[in-house]
Amino acid sequence: MKKKSFSLSSALPVGGPEGARSVKESVDYCTRCNACVQSCPSYLLQQEEAYSPRGRNQIVRLLAERKIKFSDNAPLAQDVTRTCLLCARCTAACAGGLPMADHVLALRRAAGWDFLPAPLKMLLRLCGTRPKMFERLLVLLHILRRTGAVRLLRVCGILNLPSLRWVRHADDILPRRGKTLRRLLKKQGLPAAPEKPDLLYLPSFEAQYADAELARAVLCLLQDKTPHILLGTPSGLFEYIYGDASLSLLQAKNILSAWEKLGGKRKLPLVTDSIEIYGFLKHFPVLFAAYPAWHKRALALAGKVQFITELSGARRTEKTAANGFCALDASSVLYPPADAAEKARKILKTHFGKNFVECEYSRFVTPAGGLAFVRGARAEEAALENVKDVARRQITQVYCLSGLAALELDAALRRHYPQARARHIVHIQAKP
């Protein structure tokens, strides 16, 4: 079979303040002003220009302009894209708002690099293609954990093998008593698809498959509404990040079609508990820039997307008595969620007053198939730096805008600073 040639010219368009444009046009807007460099966690760890947002940008630009050969520079390009944490802090610092993580992803797709362990990627694909089979495999995993089989494998050192490292990490971050959202709905007698919904709810991977407490808190916030829950409906973000652009577009079309079919002329809000999915849904119009009809429909959807914190006004809670300080983890994948982050700050300030610490962690928050599962991604080092910062500031509670971020950070805190805990922000809004 003929090997695919390297080309950035066919990459998906990327966004920016002036709308959609090609990857080459976008990287050309970089003025190399250095504003992004000190905001980059992987540069702070590596201390090399090539591992900074500006350095990655220039590598993409030179490859797009064919000023350097891909074959001669592939090892360096692969390493600098692998170590990008996709946290979007560079975009937040950039005066031009350049989507630098999108540039990195375009390079990864053009080169055909797939950094996720093959068994994990195959498993995660099942949640979109065959959700019932995926749930059965999760039930089997929970049984193995409860019976101690996974712990035995850890004691024997089998999970220390490089090929099984991702299994060990999954065991570290997943709750001990996992329950799927489908089983939770069945237990509580709640319909996933009511006849006349008030809104559509697209649950995150964590709320749907891993963290029953997150799902319960979200449903508590939604109980004044009648949600249609999109179970087993992938957003396309996982495929967008891990190289399958065509499948990502197909799943984005499925989301659009489902929203139009279920909402009809009412144009119902589409709510999600994942800041990554929220940003990606807002980004839909850029993906369809080359398809005018779909672009118009994507714009309509993007205007109706809400993050779960936007529903907090429907339920006022008593001001929480603060024990120690709290902080907010508002970093995200690809797109800085300025509006959702500001809403989250207001919620925490209301509850914690002067004990709210103004800081945003530079961790690697990422959706299904996170970078912590990728060898050499520097995600563990970034997490440890954040734990050190939490300990230095004597913070005892960190609230995240991502379920996976909360699971990842909480696992790191348990290991290195057990006085603190990380949770999704919906836990502070929902009644017990």
Side-chain angles (χ1 to χ4, degrees):
M1 187 172 67
K2 187 177 179 180
K3 188 177 180 180
K4 179 184 174 184
S5 60
F6 175 83
S7 174
L8 283 165
S9 59
S10 59
L12 285 175
V14 298
E18 298 180 9
R21 52 198 179 202
S22 70
V23 171
K24 183 180 182 302
E25 289 173 330
S26 186
V27 295
D28 282 344
Y29 271 77
C30 177
T31 62
R32 309 174 211 179
C33 68
N34 202 41
C36 60
V37 172
Q38 292 302 320
S39 70
C40 177
S42 60
Y43 171 75
L44 296 177
L45 289 167
Q46 201 85 4
Q47 291 293 312
E48 292 184 30
E49 172 69 13
Y51 294 84
S52 71
R54 182 175 62 178
R56 294 185 178 102
N57 237 27
Q58 294 314 305
I59 290 174
V60 174
R61 181 181 65 81
L62 293 171
L63 287 170
E65 295 174 352
R66 299 184 179 182
K67 291 182 177 178
I68 60 175
K69 290 184 178 180
F70 174 74
S71 57
D72 295 338
N73 295 276
L76 174 62
Q78 185 180 53
D79 200 38
V80 300
T81 55
R82 185 201 304 274
T83 55
C84 175
L85 302 180
L86 303 177
C87 66
R89 288 179 66 85
C90 50
T91 299
C94 179
L98 296 184
M100 301 190 198
D102 267 325
H103 302 165
V104 169
L105 291 179
L107 175 54
R108 282 167 45 167
R109 293 190 201 103
W113 293 322
D114 187 3
F115 298 136
L116 212 59
L120 177 60
K121 185 172 182 178
M122 182 177 66
L123 181 65
L124 290 172
R125 278 190 184 279
L126 286 178
C127 73
T129 57
R130 304 188 67 178
K132 290 186 178 180
M133 178 182 289
F134 180 75
E135 289 197 27
R136 292 192 190 102
L137 289 174
L138 283 185
V139 170
L140 176 61
L141 173 63
H142 295 322
I143 292 173
L144 291 175
R145 296 178 82 204
R146 284 199 299 269
T147 57
V150 175
R151 184 176 294 275
L152 179 62
L153 292 175
R154 295 182 69 126
V155 172
C156 295
I158 295 176
L159 296 188
N160 291 330
L161 297 173
S163 59
L164 295 177
R165 175 185 173 278
W166 67 273
V167 179
R168 184 185 182 104
H169 184 69
D171 186 50
D172 284 339
I173 68 173
L174 290 176
R176 291 290 105 184
R177 296 182 179 180
K179 183 183 293 184
T180 66
L181 178 53
R182 196 185 300 274
R183 291 177 62 194
L184 183 64
L185 293 172
K186 185 177 180 180
K187 182 178 180 180
Q188 296 185 353
L190 299 174
E195 291 186 5
K196 294 183 178 180
D198 297 320
L199 54 84
L200 305 184
Y201 169 40
L202 182 59
S204 64
F205 177 87
E206 302 78 46
Q208 190 166 178
Y209 298 112
D211 190 354
E213 290 305 312
L214 172 57
R216 188 176 289 109
V218 170
L219 292 175
C220 183
L221 281 175
L222 295 177
Q223 70 179 16
D224 292 336
K225 307 284 185 181
T226 305
H228 181 108
I229 305 174
L230 298 171
L231 293 172
T233 305
S235 66
L237 177 57
F238 169 69
E239 288 72 19
Y240 186 77
I241 288 178
Y242 285 101
D244 197 335
S246 59
L247 183 56
S248 179
L249 280 173
L250 176 61
Q251 292 178 341
K253 288 180 179 180
N254 291 339
I255 292 282
L256 274 168
S257 299
W259 174 69
E260 292 169 342
K261 179 181 178 180
L262 295 170
K265 295 182 179 180
R266 292 188 293 162
K267 303 293 183 184
L268 296 178
L270 178 59
V271 179
T272 181
D273 59 86
S274 165
I275 200 62
E276 290 89 12
I277 293 177
Y278 171 78
F280 188 62
L281 294 176
K282 288 283 190 180
H283 187 67
F284 267 14
V286 174
L287 299 183
F288 294 108
Y291 312 96
W294 281 100
H295 182 259
K296 183 178 180 181
R297 295 164 67 181
L299 281 172
L301 171 63
K304 287 294 184 178
V305 177
Q306 295 181 354
F307 188 58
I308 190 66
T309 53
E310 295 182 47
L311 300 177
S312 62
R315 182 180 305 284
R316 297 184 62 86
T317 57
E318 296 293 329
K319 187 173 181 180
T320 303
N323 297 316
F325 297 96
C326 91
L328 172 68
D329 178 358
S331 55
S332 73
V333 169
L334 303 179
Y335 317 108
D339 52 347
E342 186 55 37
K343 178 67 176 179
R345 286 189 197 93
K346 289 179 180 178
I347 291 169
L348 292 177
K349 286 179 180 178
T350 299
H351 285 270
F352 291 93
K354 64 182 181 180
N355 286 340
F356 172 58
V357 177
E358 294 274 5
C359 61
E360 295 183 13
Y361 288 109
S362 58
R363 62 182 285 99
F364 52 90
V365 186
T366 180
L371 287 177
F373 292 97
V374 176
R375 294 182 64 195
R378 308 305 299 266
E380 291 184 1
E381 296 97 318
L384 183 58
E385 290 301 311
N386 291 333
V387 171
K388 290 178 181 178
D389 189 52
V390 169
R392 183 170 60 251
R393 298 178 187 228
Q394 297 184 338
I395 295 169
T396 59
Q397 301 170 71
V398 182
Y399 290 93
C400 304
L401 304 184
S402 159
L404 182 57
L407 292 174
E408 296 270 15
L409 183 54
D410 195 61
L413 289 169
R414 286 199 307 270
R415 287 196 303 271
H416 303 292
Y417 185 59
Q419 294 91 327
R421 284 289 176 266
R423 307 176 76 198
H424 194 289
I425 195 167
V426 297
H427 290 293
I428 200 172
Q429 300 172 263
K431 288 182 178 178

